[in-house]
Amino acid sequence: MSDPKKLYIKTYGCQMNVYDSERMAETLGGQGYVETQTPDDADMILLNTCHIREKAAEKVYSELGRFKGLKAEKPDLKIGVAGCVAQAEGEEIMRRQPLVDLVVGPQSYHRLPEMEAKTREGAKALDTDFPEEDKFEMLKNRPKAKRGPTAFLTVQEGCDKFCAFCVVPYTRGAEVSRPADRILREAQDLVERGVREITLLGQNVNAYHGAGSNGDMTLAGLIWELNKVDGLERIRFTTSHPNDMADDLIEAHGTCEKLMPYLHLPVQSGSDRILKRMNRSHTAESYLRLLERIRAARPDIVMSGDFIVGFPEETEEDFQATLDLVEQVKYGYAYSFKYSTRPGTPAAERSQVDPQAADDRLQRLQALITRHQREIQDAMVGRTVRVLFEKPGRLPGQMVGKSEYLHSVHVSDADVGIGDLKDVRITSSGANSLAGALV
Ligand code: SAM
Ligand code: SF4
């Protein structure tokens, strides 16, 4: 028997890309590929790219340039570009970098086996369609390898919101929800392969409205169905939009035992003037009222968010409103970005903020977020949390897992295995993680 062909995938960007990379690896597994951790011994290299911020395409071109030597040594090596840069740049990628054999957009991954076969015949393969067929169904036939205790599961893709800064509605297309029965089947399959925690993914996951047995199902309805899956212990979801935080989802946070007390709910800015210019269709006040309702349902919930600073026309006063909002919410985690011009989006045409002022605001915002983050983490000391153990730690005898609040927790010299769920009493809080002992 000949050696299996080797596939190296480099993933950029969000968790949805991580999920997509796993599915691409599985579908190419059917063509005899096994994954390798280095491009050096690969027969195929795939870059699964992200287009959310500036210079994304340039980074991809420079990464591709680095494979020139490898391709010269190994002319049979196939090089592909997937993801949102592939969608946005299309054929241009092959024109600018002739060593690329294959360009595939996020909606066409199920066609990878045919595309790979085409490249083996010496042709180039390009597919950036938004096809009618359900790529997730077509990706179903894959080897059933054992999995770690946590997994992502994409339930919804694309976005119809058109925030003025964002490329997602253009690169990922219109919002589409997967039918509930297919998601439940996939969840069941993941559990059979060892998964105990599933994070439901979508660019706008709480806008989920997939076909259920009695008409469209909401995200809360889907979570309740998943709650019934034996062997699945934890459910999370990301990323949500404040306007789609429906009553039944808020209620589920208070009543659904497997739904974890953590919520990523990006607000982007605390200034109503900027929120309006961003086309966010919520205000700082409506966001804060929403949070009050969420916290009434689940008082211990840890909040997470996204922020953009230096959005066109943002003044120091607007930025101060963002700091005020952060001060009120106290996020356990938050991702903050300097506004990045995306050609083709409405905000790209507007008057840009001085980059130094934007840098300064980003630093001030991050300092405040870090302070809150640390306070929330430190407040866990003395409490007992439930930890799902995921991997060995760096020190001998150490194991690392995540609490229900998504904090990393280390225990030493304890008799725990990967996939175990145990109560841990927290004894100390470090820069980015907690330490404790089994109860
Ligand atoms: N759908 C989610 C929402 O509406 O909050 C966000 C998904 S988006 C892929 C992830 C994050 O990237 C956004 O929340 C935003 O903070 C950031 N982002 C998107 N476009 C950006 C841009 N042009 N510049 C800087 N950050 C950006
Ligand atoms: Fe982008 Fe999120 Fe706005 Fe959709 S809702 S356009 S994904 S930031």
Side-chain angles (χ1 to χ4, degrees):
M1 221 173 79
S2 62
D3 284 344
K5 289 177 282 186
K6 292 200 176 144
L7 170 69
Y8 171 74
I9 304 189
K10 181 163 179 175
T11 307
Y12 301 78
C14 66
Q15 291 147 326
M16 295 191 72
N17 268 9
V18 174
Y19 175 85
D20 285 343
S21 290
E22 287 167 7
R23 307 303 300 268
M24 285 192 266
E26 286 174 344
T27 196
L28 286 169
Q31 310 298 111
Y33 279 92
V34 295
E35 269 195 272
T36 171
Q37 300 309 314
T38 150
D40 300 340
D41 63 351
D43 299 286
M44 177 168 221
I45 295 175
L46 274 180
L47 300 183
N48 189 10
T49 60
C50 170
H51 202 236
I52 202 83
R53 274 171 287 277
E54 244 172 318
K55 304 202 179 87
E58 291 316 309
K59 270 192 218 148
V60 171
Y61 287 116
S62 85
E63 182 80 32
L64 287 169
R66 271 184 243 147
F67 299 138
K68 244 185 204 146
L70 275 180
K71 184 102 172 176
E73 274 169 34
K74 203 173 177 181
D76 274 348
L77 168 67
K78 301 298 171 200
I79 297 179
V81 181
C84 292
V85 172
Q87 188 66 41
E89 297 269 300
E91 232 169 316
E92 175 64 16
I93 298 181
M94 285 172 176
R95 250 197 307 270
R96 264 186 72 175
Q97 187 43 277
L99 56 78
V100 172
D101 301 284
L102 178 160
V103 172
V104 60
Q107 300 311 327
S108 307
Y109 296 150
H110 54 292
R111 295 177 176 166
L112 265 173
E114 299 148 41
M115 295 176 76
E116 188 268 352
K118 201 168 157 191
T119 65
R120 294 280 153 215
E121 285 160 12
K124 302 245 178 197
L126 169 87
D127 194 332
T128 51
D129 289 351
F130 285 93
E132 285 293 311
E133 70 262 20
D134 180 345
K135 84 170 165 193
F136 295 104
E137 273 304 281
M138 319 276 293
L139 282 165
K140 221 167 51 181
N141 298 329
R142 55 196 174 149
K144 298 214 181 281
K146 179 108 181 90
R147 300 274 316 231
T150 63
F152 295 129
L153 201 174
T154 293
V155 302
Q156 175 280 337
E157 278 194 295
C159 182
D160 298 333
K161 296 251 181 328
F162 290 92
C163 296
F165 49 80
C166 186
V167 289
V168 167
Y170 311 96
T171 56
R172 290 270 177 169
E175 200 278 318
V176 181
S177 293
R178 296 178 64 194
D181 60 341
R182 296 184 188 166
I183 295 167
L184 290 166
R185 243 187 289 138
E186 191 171 332
Q188 187 66 52
D189 169 70
L190 288 168
V191 169
E192 282 161 18
R193 293 159 67 193
V195 169
R196 306 197 77 189
E197 171 180 304
I198 290 180
T199 301
L200 306 175
L201 298 181
Q203 265 96 18
N204 234 307
V205 72
N206 57 346
Y208 176 80
H209 59 98
S213 44
N214 302 313
D216 274 6
M217 192 178 260
T218 61
L219 183 66
L222 181 66
I223 289 170
W224 279 109
E225 288 299 311
L226 287 163
N227 199 53
K228 294 184 205 151
V229 174
D230 276 344
L232 178 64
E233 304 291 342
R234 291 177 156 190
I235 305 163
R236 303 182 189 274
F237 60 90
T238 199
T239 295
S240 298
H241 191 287
N243 286 12
D244 294 313
M245 210 56 214
D247 291 348
D248 61 349
L249 188 56
I250 297 177
E251 196 186 314
H253 270 290
T255 49
C256 184
E257 57 178 300
K258 293 183 185 173
L259 182 59
M260 292 293 104
Y262 166 90
L263 177 63
H264 184 64
L265 194 64
V267 64
Q268 313 297 355
S269 167
S271 154
D272 288 347
R273 196 181 73 86
I274 293 297
L275 287 169
K276 197 156 185 209
R277 302 288 288 148
M278 285 177 163
N279 194 30
R280 286 291 291 181
S281 57
H282 58 78
T283 62
E285 185 61 22
S286 69
Y287 180 83
L288 291 170
R289 295 291 82 80
L290 175 63
L291 246 59
E292 271 173 17
R293 291 174 51 221
I294 295 165
R295 281 181 167 149
R298 183 76 206 221
D300 61 340
I301 200 160
V302 168
M303 293 302 304
S304 160
D306 289 352
F307 292 89
I308 295 178
V309 302
F311 184 77
E313 298 157 23
E314 183 190 67
T315 62
E316 181 56 31
E317 198 184 343
D318 293 316
F319 175 65
Q320 194 56 51
T322 298
L323 294 180
D324 292 347
L325 180 136
V326 170
E327 196 58 75
Q328 288 185 66
V329 175
K330 297 202 177 10
Y331 290 91
Y333 309 82
Y335 307 90
S336 41
F337 313 99
K338 200 162 75 156
Y339 169 71
S340 177
T341 313
R342 309 311 296 125
T345 59
E349 311 299 324
R350 303 187 192 150
S351 116
Q352 306 293 314
V353 166
D354 167 44
Q356 255 180 334
D359 275 333
D360 173 64
R361 287 175 198 166
L362 186 63
Q363 277 184 27
R364 284 150 64 202
L365 176 63
Q366 289 184 339
L368 182 63
I369 290 168
T370 306
R371 178 157 67 75
H372 292 155
Q373 201 165 324
R374 191 62 205 256
E375 282 167 11
I376 291 166
Q377 196 191 287
D378 291 353
M380 295 287 160
V381 176
R383 284 182 58 177
T384 296
V385 295
R386 196 137 176 89
V387 177
L388 174 60
F389 286 95
E390 293 177 11
K391 56 183 181 195
R394 265 182 292 142
L395 304 177
Q398 198 181 49
M399 287 290 287
V400 192
K402 291 268 166 61
S403 77
E404 49 277 66
Y405 306 104
L406 213 60
H407 288 123
S408 279
V409 179
H410 293 76
V411 298
S412 295
D413 303 320
D415 183 20
V416 285
I418 291 173
D420 287 353
L421 254 176
K422 302 268 185 201
D423 284 339
V424 174
R425 192 171 161 76
I426 302 300
T427 50
S428 67
S429 170
N432 294 309
S433 63
L434 296 162
L438 291 194
V439 173

